[in-house]
Amino acid sequence: MAGIRDVAAKAGVSVGTASRALNGTGPVSAAARERVERAAKELRYVASYTATALKSGRSRNIGVILPAIDRWFYGKVVTGIADELIDVGYELALYNTQGSHEHQEAVLGDYLWRQRLDAVIPVSLQLSAAEITRLLSMDRPVVGVGGPMPGVLTVSIDQSATGALATAHLIGLGHREIAHVTGGTDPERDFHLTDSRRGGFEGEMSRAGLQVRDDWVLRSDFTLGDSYRQAKVLLSGRERPTAVFAASDEMAMGVILAARDLGLRVPDALSVVGVDGHEMGEAFGLTTIRQFPERQGARAAQRLLTHLADPPPPDDINLHEVLPTELVVRSSTAAPGE
Amino acid sequence: MAGIRDVAAKAGVSVGTASRALNGTGPVSAAARERVERAAKELRYVASYTATALKSGRSRNIGVILPAIDRWFYGKVVTGIADELIDVGYELALYNTQGSHEHQEAVLGDYLWRQRLDAVIPVSLQLSAAEITRLLSMDRPVVGVGGPMPGVLTVSIDQSATGALATAHLIGLGHREIAHVTGGTDPERDFHLTDSRRGGFEGEMSRAGLQVRDDWVLRSDFTLGDSYRQAKVLLSGRERPTAVFAASDEMAMGVILAARDLGLRVPDALSVVGVDGHEMGEAFGLTTIRQFPERQGARAAQRLLTHLADPPPPDDINLHEVLPTELVVRSSTAAPGE
DNA sequence: AGGTTTAGTGGAACCGTTTACAGTCGTGGC
DNA sequence: GCCACGACTGTAAACGGTTCCACTAAACCT
């Protein structure tokens, strides 16, 4: 492995000059620069990142902390982040807490302090005040995705408005008997998201003077399978809603499958609306509130990068950036039958 | 930020002793060790990884290169790897090539050479001979997932056997008119996987004396949506297969949706079998050949770690480790109707 | 013409660890 | 009583870059 000394020697300059030539910092004559560059190429020289990082304090490495990777939303977010980073030569360190507080603490307490990271993107993390303090005291840029994370910059969608929009769509079609599939099975995970989407649902219902039946609010774990099972029970009851708002597309698809298995036609006998914009929704004809997780990830990365480039951000910055969502009407919703 | 000097000073020992105490390398008196440990704790000392890596040459960081993160298989593989690594204090650097050869070259050519990585796990990568040579010349452990990658250790399932098993299951039920949904839309991606699963299908068909109809082999892109559309065309034709083997669960679910939309009952009018063991398959009653991507990822990580711990591996190691799959029979397959 | 800037350069300190080396001290063997 | 040995320790040299500083020579002022 060639080092910068080898390059310098081969180019007939000092290591200082070689470094300046390679990094474009400081003045270097055209001739010297050219010789250094050629030497570097011939030697297949690549600067050791660890050495660079140690001296300069910048590692060109940013950490992404999330509770899972094998779920639609997180996969998309990471994709968005990764796409944004690869172009500017940053690398991406992934920390999967698996929703375990133990792991989360280990990551927040130790891993992030090893100075290998220039900045951090926590995704949908349930952070305690102490954890946030600790995170921010690292004195590196932090931009979260999802939220809320009081005190840290975030990028997210308006969960409550999303719930309200979906509900309003159903009410607008004439539905009055509306059930809701929400999250909350795992108290640690998706806590706020669940609550605020349901909040939007409830708000919109009461605004329209409609009642929210407790037994029509299904607590699920955000998977298709669980939602399917619960919806089957719900839809087998004597009284049935005419519409269901599910807090995610996966759960909405579960509801559709359950309805079909029970011989209920969608949307004739049951309207279903979800949230996400999951690709699979298309084949189901699923009406949904589309969010753009890749864009959320990309946006977080961008904000991070500008903070990294610029001096410390002004104080009047937009702390919580809210990205738009979009109602996509397909064939799973219609006016109530009969 | 406290450095090891601060710890040493506080504990009243030299930095050498402090380092030895903290790392458990070399002899240190119990008293000194205890003082150092307390000092470190009180100072919230965490060793700088960049410094450690620079000096020791070991970064406790392993790279995962893959063509996408937002697909079921990759999400699972990464989860398996991450779970395995977090326990032993290794970190995970993620490189998403997005299926672009440009990015792949950048990663293989530059990124991996910056000495930030102790080892590399390429996942489902289509590597040229030159790329493999370059990868191996880094002189660090490499264990791939999926394959084949001639010359590098890999962990994978037997794709061909998987195709054969699925096909045999259908034939065993009495089906003779069998269609296949395969990949291959994107020539770069999933190349081998597609070919070998289809190979298994064709082999099993001919073994049973059955013909493979060209127009019953659907080339799809491994998504539910595309498979759905193609299956709809297939199943609307005058002649219909009585069974479909889809090379992935997502595509199989697309076929089931298409069948239902056309009023064909599954499995009465059409049997469908997939490959993967996708969680969503359960609600579809999907029969499938289950593979365990998390286990594949975990296994790759384990092999890597042992190679990292032990001296260079013996030459007679098992180059390609094949992990088992499992037929899961649910309600999407049955003997042909009538 | 003399004094200041400025482009270009080399040398060396430094980033925060690990680790090779040399040394001190007490202990046991003879 | 001396020597060898082991346990323990401190000092300093790396690791491979970046960056500060001092310096030269040419160019630019007044």
Side-chain angles (χ1 to χ4, degrees):
Chain A
M1 283 289 314
I4 196 167
R5 282 164 232 271
D6 303 313
V7 174
K10 178 155 193 162
V13 298
S14 70
V15 290
T17 304
S19 174
R20 281 185 293 261
L22 259 11
N23 297 314
T25 117
V28 174
S29 71
R33 157 165 293 119
E34 209 269 335
R35 287 209 313 282
V36 169
E37 274 165 1
R38 204 177 47 232
K41 183 156 294 178
E42 282 171 16
L43 260 33
R44 277 180 171 257
Y45 168 76
V46 183
S48 156
Y49 258 30
T50 48
T52 304
L54 177 58
K55 177 58 184 167
S56 68
R58 280 164 270 120
S59 61
R60 298 189 75 80
N61 196 22
I62 81 143
V64 176
I65 322 175
L66 29 68
I69 328 169
D70 55 352
R71 282 163 63 173
W72 182 82
F73 181 80
Y74 301 117
K76 292 293 181 189
V77 169
V78 174
T79 300
I81 297 173
D83 287 3
E84 207 66 28
L85 293 183
I86 197 168
D87 293 328
V88 292
Y90 271 70
E91 308 194 12
L92 160 40
L94 195 72
Y95 302 91
N96 180 13
T97 68
Q98 309 174 75
S100 126
H101 239 284
E102 241 176 278
H103 281 146
Q104 185 167 313
E105 270 168 31
V107 168
L108 258 37
D110 267 28
Y111 282 58
L112 297 189
W113 289 87
R114 299 186 169 153
Q115 316 193 1
R116 195 185 275 173
L117 266 27
D118 282 351
V120 177
I121 305 183
V123 182
S124 303
L125 245 42
Q126 204 67 28
L127 297 171
S128 72
E131 285 170 332
I132 289 182
T133 311
R134 186 146 175 69
L135 192 57
L136 293 178
S137 71
M138 254 181 55
D139 206 26
R140 308 223 174 232
V142 176
V143 179
V145 173
M149 311 183 195
V152 346
L153 306 193
T154 61
V155 173
S156 68
I157 61 170
D158 184 335
Q159 305 293 358
S160 169
T162 300
L165 181 53
T167 311
H169 170 63
L170 294 174
I171 294 174
L173 287 170
H175 292 277
R176 303 184 57 80
E177 328 267 67
I178 308 179
H180 178 43
V181 186
T182 181
T185 286
D186 179 352
E188 295 297 336
R189 224 136 133 174
D190 310 313
F191 190 104
H192 273 289
L193 176 152
T194 286
D195 281 4
S196 44
R197 280 191 195 161
R198 191 180 50 220
F201 165 71
E202 287 165 352
E204 204 61 23
M205 289 291 276
S206 80
R207 177 195 313 249
L210 299 177
Q211 259 209 308
V212 175
R213 289 178 52 160
D214 258 15
D215 55 331
W216 283 8
V217 173
L218 274 38
R219 286 178 191 283
S220 178
D221 64 1
F222 269 90
T223 67
L224 185 148
D226 185 63
S227 169
Y228 170 79
R229 282 183 293 274
Q230 298 210 35
K232 240 179 169 172
V233 176
L234 172 74
L235 299 175
S236 306
R238 299 185 45 208
E239 295 180 303
R240 270 204 318 263
T242 64
V244 177
F245 160 44
S248 83
D249 278 357
E250 258 201 54
M251 295 197 293
M253 294 187 271
V255 174
I256 292 180
L257 286 178
R260 289 189 183 174
D261 280 2
L262 293 171
L264 298 171
R265 302 188 70 88
V266 174
D268 314 82
L270 186 77
S271 281
V272 180
V273 57
V275 176
D276 270 346
H278 197 300
E279 292 80 1
M280 290 191 189
E282 227 183 304
F284 281 80
L286 179 62
T287 294
T288 188
I289 314 294
R290 170 180 289 158
Q291 63 172 327
F292 305 88
E294 276 150 303
R295 205 180 289 172
Q296 294 175 49
R299 192 69 194 99
Q302 286 164 9
R303 293 183 73 182
L304 222 45
L305 291 171
T306 64
H307 281 196
L308 242 24
D310 286 359
D315 209 46
D316 62 336
I317 39 155
N318 179 10
L319 212 61
H320 303 296
E321 184 172 328
V322 176
L323 261 36
T325 57
E326 179 181 302
L327 172 65
V328 180
V329 180
R330 298 206 190 94
S331 55
S332 71
T333 50
E338 276 122 334
Chain B
M1 283 288 315
I4 197 169
R5 280 167 236 270
D6 304 313
V7 175
K10 178 155 194 162
V13 298
S14 71
V15 291
T17 304
S19 173
R20 281 185 292 260
L22 260 11
N23 297 314
T25 116
V28 173
S29 71
R33 156 165 294 118
E34 210 269 335
R35 287 210 312 282
V36 169
E37 274 165 1
R38 206 179 43 234
K41 184 157 293 177
E42 282 171 15
L43 259 34
R44 279 179 170 259
Y45 168 76
V46 183
S48 157
Y49 258 29
T50 48
T52 304
L54 176 59
K55 178 56 186 168
S56 68
R58 281 163 270 120
S59 62
R60 299 188 76 81
N61 196 23
I62 81 143
V64 176
I65 322 175
L66 29 67
I69 328 169
D70 55 351
R71 283 163 62 175
W72 181 82
F73 180 79
Y74 300 117
K76 293 292 181 189
V77 169
V78 173
T79 300
I81 297 173
D83 287 3
E84 208 65 29
L85 293 183
I86 197 166
D87 292 328
V88 293
Y90 270 71
E91 308 194 13
L92 161 40
L94 195 73
Y95 302 91
N96 180 14
T97 67
Q98 310 174 74
S100 124
H101 239 285
E102 243 176 278
H103 281 146
Q104 184 167 313
E105 270 169 31
V107 167
L108 258 35
D110 267 28
Y111 281 58
L112 297 190
W113 287 87
R114 298 187 169 153
Q115 315 193 4
R116 197 185 275 175
L117 266 26
D118 282 350
V120 178
I121 305 183
V123 182
S124 302
L125 246 41
Q126 204 67 29
L127 297 170
S128 70
E131 285 171 333
I132 290 183
T133 311
R134 187 147 175 68
L135 192 57
L136 293 178
S137 71
M138 253 181 56
D139 207 25
R140 308 223 173 233
V142 176
V143 179
V145 173
M149 309 183 196
V152 346
L153 305 194
T154 61
V155 173
S156 67
I157 61 170
D158 185 335
Q159 306 293 358
S160 169
T162 300
L165 181 54
T167 312
H169 170 63
L170 294 174
I171 295 175
L173 287 169
H175 292 277
R176 305 183 57 80
E177 328 266 67
I178 308 178
H180 179 42
V181 186
T182 181
T185 287
D186 179 351
E188 294 297 336
R189 226 136 133 172
D190 310 313
F191 190 102
H192 274 289
L193 177 152
T194 286
D195 280 5
S196 44
R197 281 191 195 161
R198 190 180 50 220
F201 164 72
E202 287 165 352
E204 205 61 25
M205 289 291 276
S206 80
R207 177 195 313 248
L210 301 177
Q211 258 209 310
V212 175
R213 290 179 50 162
D214 259 15
D215 55 333
W216 283 7
V217 174
L218 275 39
R219 283 177 194 284
S220 177
D221 64 1
F222 270 90
T223 68
L224 185 148
D226 184 62
S227 170
Y228 170 79
R229 281 184 293 274
Q230 297 210 37
K232 239 176 170 174
V233 175
L234 171 75
L235 298 175
S236 307
R238 299 186 44 212
E239 295 180 303
R240 271 204 319 262
T242 63
V244 176
F245 161 45
S248 84
D249 278 356
E250 259 201 55
M251 296 198 292
M253 294 187 272
V255 173
I256 292 181
L257 286 178
R260 289 189 182 173
D261 281 3
L262 293 171
L264 297 171
R265 300 189 73 86
V266 173
D268 315 83
L270 186 77
S271 282
V272 179
V273 57
V275 176
D276 271 346
H278 196 300
E279 292 80 1
M280 290 190 190
E282 226 183 306
F284 281 80
L286 178 63
T287 294
T288 188
I289 314 294
R290 171 179 290 160
Q291 64 171 327
F292 306 88
E294 275 149 306
R295 205 180 290 171
Q296 294 175 49
R299 193 67 194 101
Q302 286 164 9
R303 294 183 74 182
L304 223 44
L305 290 171
T306 64
H307 281 195
L308 242 25
D310 286 359
D315 209 46
D316 63 336
I317 37 155
N318 179 11
L319 213 61
H320 303 294
E321 185 171 328
V322 176
L323 261 37
T325 57
E326 179 180 303
L327 172 66
V328 180
V329 180
R330 298 205 189 95
S331 56
S332 71
T333 50
E338 276 123 333

